[in-house]
Amino acid sequence: MIPLLHTSRFVLRQPQAGDAEDIARYLNDFDVAGNLARVPFPYRLSDARAWLRTRTPHLPVDETNFTIELPGEGLAGHVGFHRGPLGPIIGYWLGRPFWNRGIMTEAATTSLDWFFATTNAPVVYSGVFYFNAASLAVQNKLGFTETGRSSLLCLARGAEVEHIDTELTQSVWKARTS
């Protein structure tokens, strides 16, 4: 069961069918979708509904996603995990109205606390497209380190894009938070 996680400013909760319109509205913005690997553009309501059908309450920890819900403002974005070739990957996005408010650093911190407390995974992987300085800054704050560069398909751009690969070890995370 996906837990309800609380921060000082918002809640991280299981995505729900009723989130589809907000997800579609925020991801149908090229400035959001163009920073993500697995999101097409344009992004339609049917895309959001199809993705939400995959979000069941009993998914493995490394397939868990959280909706970021701000009191009085509603859905702001998502943070979550998916399986990658080397191990679990954390991914995230925020709708444009919520940028530059420190929301993602707080949401990622809370989700990583939960993930590392729930699993014995030694590392979580992530990364950013080379032009996404804001997302790289979030990862640097969290303790991720750059491990190299690769090329990754960006569905919204319809092209392979240079990607800065990053990782965060559980030992670095625990040292940071102790």
Side-chain angles (χ1 to χ4, degrees):
M1 192 69 162
I2 297 174
L4 190 64
L5 305 177
H6 296 270
T7 78
S8 62
R9 298 188 293 162
F10 52 82
V11 172
L12 299 176
R13 61 163 175 79
Q14 179 176 340
Q16 303 166 354
D19 295 335
E21 288 184 16
D22 288 334
I23 292 169
R25 179 173 67 248
Y26 294 133
L27 288 180
N28 196 36
D29 176 344
F30 189 78
D31 287 340
V32 177
N35 286 318
L36 305 171
R38 304 179 339 151
V39 174
F41 184 82
Y43 192 89
R44 305 193 189 301
L45 184 57
S46 60
D47 296 317
R49 288 180 176 145
W51 180 78
L52 284 164
R53 283 192 296 275
T54 71
R55 305 293 89 203
T56 62
H58 301 290
L59 289 171
V61 172
D62 61 357
E63 288 289 327
T64 299
N65 284 253
F66 295 97
T67 295
I68 303 165
E69 185 169 318
L70 278 64
E73 296 183 78
L75 184 148
H78 280 121
V79 60
F81 302 91
H82 64 275
R83 293 179 181 148
L86 301 176
I89 297 173
I90 187 171
Y92 48 83
W93 62 267
L94 280 176
R96 187 194 304 256
F98 306 100
W99 291 1
N100 301 311
R101 293 168 50 182
I103 292 167
M104 190 48 69
T105 300
E106 191 173 333
T109 297
T110 302
S111 64
L112 285 162
D113 279 342
W114 170 81
F115 185 84
F116 281 131
T118 306
T119 72
N120 60 1
V123 63
V124 169
Y125 298 93
S126 195
V128 302
F129 290 125
Y130 74 93
F131 47 76
N132 193 344
S135 187
L136 188 57
V138 168
Q139 290 185 23
N140 288 333
K141 286 181 206 170
L142 296 169
F144 280 82
T145 56
E146 293 183 32
T147 59
R149 302 261 175 150
S150 62
S151 182
L152 188 62
L153 176 64
C154 174
L155 291 178
R157 294 175 186 276
E160 294 278 329
V161 178
E162 183 180 352
H163 188 260
I164 300 168
D165 304 318
T166 64
E167 70 177 28
L168 174 66
T169 63
Q170 187 167 143
S171 59
V172 165
W173 185 253
K174 287 184 176 179
R176 176 191 170 279
T177 58
S178 61

